[in-house]
Amino acid sequence: VGAGMSVSSGIPDFRSAGVGLYDTLRPELLTATELERALIEEDPTLALDKGMFLENPLPMLETKRSFILGTQEKRWRATLAHRVVELLHTKLGKLTRVYTQNIDGLEFQCPGLPKEKVMNVHGSMGAAACEVCGSEADFDEFC
């Protein structure tokens, strides 16, 4: 599934012209070196790049701050589309697994959708773990 499944819950997407995260990002406000800011200005996706994160995690954390906190506060709710996926499992028994590129974790608001059937291609904001060793951290403590 893709971003279209979650935007109706109010989650802003990353790529929409004029309103997406990348178009509205202001590199000059990020805690970054001048070189990092210049690189992000040229290519906003670098603010969320793992390589840059491992060098300086602040630009990514600052960029995702409202999203991380919104996820923790459950500011957004699973949509009808998420519920349809849940019904594919609970009522029809037809769901083998669901692959999602969304990082919002809204699938986990569907109690009938087993976590082991959800494959988070880009990870999930519903959990926190070390990018180096994979050690899990308490999400509420992280926030």
Side-chain angles (χ1 to χ4, degrees):
V1 299
M5 193 159 168
S6 295
V7 291
S8 65
S9 71
I11 295 174
D13 70 31
F14 285 27
R15 292 182 172 82
S16 289
V19 294
L21 178 103
Y22 295 134
D23 253 12
T24 58
L25 185 63
R26 297 193 45 208
E28 71 275 11
L29 300 179
L30 297 175
T31 306
T33 66
E34 286 301 317
L35 175 60
E36 289 167 338
R37 283 191 202 105
L39 292 169
I40 293 168
E41 181 75 39
E42 186 175 310
D43 179 4
T45 65
L46 289 176
L48 305 180
D49 179 75
K50 184 176 180 178
M52 186 173 283
F53 175 82
L54 292 173
E55 292 293 320
N56 177 6
L58 295 176
M60 180 186 285
L61 294 172
E62 292 168 352
T63 300
K64 287 186 169 183
R65 185 176 195 277
S66 65
F67 189 71
I68 293 168
L69 295 176
T71 301
Q72 182 214 23
E73 297 164 357
K74 294 186 176 31
R75 190 178 303 157
W76 304 288
R77 298 283 177 235
T79 66
L80 181 59
H82 291 95
R83 299 301 178 181
V84 168
V85 171
E86 180 181 32
L87 289 174
L88 284 172
H89 175 70
T90 59
K91 299 292 184 193
L92 301 175
K94 299 285 185 185
L95 185 71
T96 303
R97 69 189 52 82
V98 59
Y99 292 91
T100 179
Q101 62 180 344
N102 297 337
I103 61 171
D104 52 47
L106 293 182
E107 298 82 12
F108 301 118
Q109 292 182 12
C110 301
L113 187 57
K115 289 182 181 184
E116 62 272 7
K117 292 205 181 251
V118 178
M119 304 294 133
N120 293 292
V121 178
H122 298 300
S124 173
M125 293 306 301
C130 176
E131 282 293 325
V132 176
C133 71
S135 178
E136 293 186 19
D138 180 87
F139 189 63
D140 290 329
E141 220 172 277
F142 171 77
C143 292

